[in-house]
Amino acid sequence: MKNQLLLLLLIGNLSLTAQNNYQPAPENLEARHWFQDAKFGMFIHWGVYSVLGDGEWVMNNRRIPIKDYEKLPDAFNPTQFNAAEWVSLVKAAGMKYITITSKHHDGFAMWDSKISDYDIVERTPYGKDVLKMLADECQKQGIKLFFYHSHLDWHHPDYFPRGSTGNDIAGRPASGDFNKYLDYMDAQLTELLTNYGPIGGIWFDGWWDHKLQGKETRVDWRLEKTYELIHKLQPACLIGNNHHVEPFAGEDFQMFEKDLPGGNTTGFSGDSKIGDLPLETCETMNHSWGFNIYDRNYKSTKALVHYLVRSAGHNANFLLNVGPMSNGKIQPEFGKTLREMGTWLDTYGETIYGTRGVAAAVRDWGVVTQKGDTWYVHILDWQDAVVAVPTQGKKVKSAQLFKDKSAVKILSETKDMILLQLPKFDANEWDTVVELVIGQ
Ligand code: GLC
């Protein structure tokens, strides 16, 4: 028992050595900067599970045996998929990048994998490489493409020892060679980073399947090797990992799931302190990632604009998810909301893109974003007709409304605070933005 414990601790420690001496390449640092300026991306969860319309966890949740789940690809025929339409929607929404599932926990490859036949080209009647089509279209329309890639795999025989999920899925052998599985994962990542043009980043998920405590894990995920491989193939490719703990060495951005940085309403982020890397937070438009026909809990455009603005104020990007249907279409409810967000950004984008959040000024009523000498005070939830803005010892030269440049009265000023007199409350305005010009 004692020896086993020691072994576990040792393995846990091994995983901490992920790219310990990692020095990001100049093009990586440049890509991080681009990422922080970009602010808004589309998350896409798409796989053969969309046929069942019950989310991307359906294999686990309904305990579908491997041999039955393998029939889903036969029914996956997205003849209405149109990459140009998707990317145009991304642009209309004011988004700058896409993060799409190359492989989710079900293990099915959404591209033409050569080292496995469990992929869209070989197993579906559709038979086309949707990731290739999307990558080409992204290039054409100037949108960066990231891949979400699941560490965890409910299908591969060598994903053993099993983790905390997928244990009731019949047809999984009770033995396997985890290193062989990791070789397979690295080989698939090599395909994705070799044949699809420049890739903005790899967004890992599923590490938590073997999580013990904090950063301790039951298996050696060989993160160092995988991260090195990615940075060798494409130095500018940003690595993020949704492990729900503080970033490991070798990662280039830190993500939060369904919570703003520092928040933990989901219970996922308890071990995740905010570090120094660029930040991102992801959220759903209803309550599902993969297409879910039962879920009609759509968030309003206003609520999602607020989430975007609050993310920017927390110095984080906002990655907003759609789960396309099995016919290849993005459902109309999502399209409508995304276009409305884009219309809002047509006017207010200047106060979001290229800004950095003033994290110390996060308040219940809203947030502050900053670009050069300009601070944008975003008043989202009105409480009073006056608002006290923390200024961190900076001198405020002038205050005006962003939308029409009319002067905003400064009622009083101390070293660290100014008190603004707000204009008349307008219920139709989702975000009242006051522009402050800051001096020394
Ligand atoms: C969770 C889920 C996964 C989803 C991800 C998105 O980790 O396991 O299904 O893809 O969140 O953030």
Side-chain angles (χ1 to χ4, degrees):
M1 183 64 195
K2 211 167 156 201
N3 283 346
Q4 259 173 331
L5 255 175
L6 269 177
L7 189 70
L8 283 179
L9 283 175
L10 189 70
I11 290 173
N13 281 336
L14 280 178
S15 72
L16 296 184
T17 61
Q19 268 207 289
N20 254 344
N21 303 316
Y22 174 51
Q23 291 293 336
E27 52 268 59
N28 187 285
L29 294 173
E30 215 176 288
R32 291 181 188 191
H33 194 83
W34 173 89
F35 182 70
Q36 287 190 295
D37 285 348
K39 285 287 175 296
F40 192 24
M42 181 183 275
F43 210 178
I44 305 181
H45 276 71
W46 200 34
V48 294
Y49 44 78
S50 62
V51 170
L52 297 177
D54 194 11
E56 76 289 356
W57 272 69
V58 65
M59 183 177 187
N60 174 82
N61 296 353
R62 291 209 210 157
R63 301 171 184 193
I64 304 176
I66 286 186
K67 73 171 185 352
D68 291 341
Y69 195 86
E70 282 185 346
K71 293 182 184 116
L72 281 183
D74 291 338
F76 184 73
N77 195 13
T79 51
Q80 293 181 59
F81 169 67
N82 181 330
E85 255 175 36
W86 282 20
V87 180
S88 300
L89 178 61
V90 164
K91 294 196 89 160
M95 294 159 153
K96 307 293 184 194
Y97 60 101
I98 293 176
T99 304
I100 187 168
T101 46
S102 40
K103 182 194 84 161
H104 207 271
H105 310 331
D106 66 357
F108 190 77
M110 291 295 281
W111 75 99
D112 185 12
S113 179
K114 301 295 180 209
I115 65 146
S116 155
D117 72 344
Y118 198 48
D119 72 57
I120 188 163
V121 172
E122 278 156 284
R123 292 285 183 106
T124 73
Y126 188 61
K128 292 185 210 155
D129 185 339
V130 289
L131 294 191
K132 183 74 185 134
M133 290 190 268
L134 193 63
D136 291 346
E137 189 60 35
C138 281
Q139 287 276 348
K140 212 156 117 194
Q141 295 203 43
I143 291 292
K144 278 206 192 189
L145 184 65
F146 291 54
F147 291 129
Y148 164 114
H149 205 79
S150 177
H151 280 302
L152 133 73
D153 196 306
W154 294 325
H155 182 271
H156 198 281
D158 281 311
Y159 186 81
F160 191 89
R162 291 182 202 148
S164 49
T165 67
N167 288 311
D168 295 330
I169 294 169
R172 307 183 76 187
S175 63
D177 180 346
F178 202 69
N179 277 315
K180 255 169 88 185
Y181 167 68
L182 293 175
D183 291 342
Y184 161 85
M185 193 185 74
D186 287 348
Q188 288 210 319
L189 286 167
T190 303
E191 293 180 338
L192 290 167
L193 288 157
T194 310
N195 304 325
Y196 296 81
I199 297 306
I202 301 290
W203 204 106
F204 284 110
D205 190 22
W207 176 94
W208 35 257
D209 199 36
H210 282 288
K211 180 176 171 173
L212 293 172
Q213 267 184 334
K215 285 183 161 186
E216 277 174 43
T217 165
R218 203 180 291 128
V219 294
D220 179 6
W221 281 105
R222 288 192 347 207
L223 293 184
E224 178 168 20
K225 191 168 177 206
T226 302
Y227 289 178
E228 256 172 25
L229 171 75
I230 294 169
H231 285 138
K232 193 173 96 230
L233 291 168
Q234 294 203 22
C237 180
L238 302 178
I239 297 177
N241 197 327
N242 189 33
H243 39 45
H244 304 148
V245 297
E246 284 173 63
F248 294 109
E251 293 171 7
D252 303 303
F253 66 103
Q254 181 180 8
M255 61 194 49
F256 293 83
E257 182 177 337
K258 291 177 94 51
D259 257 310
L260 292 167
N264 188 20
T265 59
T266 53
F268 296 145
S269 304
D271 292 324
S272 190
K273 311 245 162 12
I274 305 171
D276 298 331
L277 297 176
L279 308 174
E280 184 189 66
T281 184
C282 59
E283 183 51 292
T284 48
M285 295 189 72
N286 44 8
H287 284 90
S288 312
W289 299 107
F291 175 56
N292 191 327
I293 202 151
Y294 307 100
D295 185 352
R296 283 174 291 277
N297 272 318
Y298 302 114
K299 296 181 182 73
S300 68
T301 311
K302 178 182 166 186
L304 291 170
V305 163
H306 278 198
Y307 214 122
L308 167 67
V309 174
R310 284 198 190 271
S311 303
H314 281 78
N315 207 22
N317 285 10
F318 186 44
L319 184 65
L320 181 58
N321 181 73
V322 301
M325 301 183 282
S326 60
N327 63 1
K329 289 279 186 201
I330 294 175
Q331 57 187 102
E333 295 88 346
F334 292 165
K336 180 169 177 288
T337 302
L338 289 170
R339 286 198 175 82
E340 287 169 1
M341 292 184 83
T343 304
W344 183 86
L345 277 162
D346 284 343
T347 308
Y348 289 93
E350 195 184 322
T351 72
I352 301 291
Y353 302 121
T355 64
R356 296 294 179 267
V358 183
V362 168
R363 289 294 180 274
D364 284 349
W365 50 257
V367 294
V368 178
T369 55
Q370 173 179 20
K371 200 189 292 171
D373 291 340
T374 307
W375 280 28
Y376 301 102
V377 181
H378 297 263
I379 300 137
L380 300 168
D381 294 311
W382 283 57
Q383 281 147 341
D384 303 297
V386 293
V387 75
V389 185
T391 51
Q392 297 187 300
K394 301 257 172 24
K395 182 100 195 90
V396 176
K397 288 190 181 158
S398 67
Q400 53 194 355
L401 270 189
F402 172 76
K403 68 170 177 204
D404 59 11
K405 310 295 170 203
S406 59
V408 170
K409 196 164 173 203
I410 300 176
L411 293 170
S412 68
E413 193 167 3
T414 66
K415 197 167 91 24
D416 299 310
M417 254 334 155
I418 53 164
L419 195 64
L420 297 175
Q421 169 82 60
L422 297 179
K424 206 167 154 285
F425 174 63
D426 175 358
N428 294 319
E429 198 170 59
W430 295 338
D431 179 8
T432 303
V433 183
V434 179
E435 211 174 86
L436 304 180
V437 178
I438 301 289
Q440 282 318 307

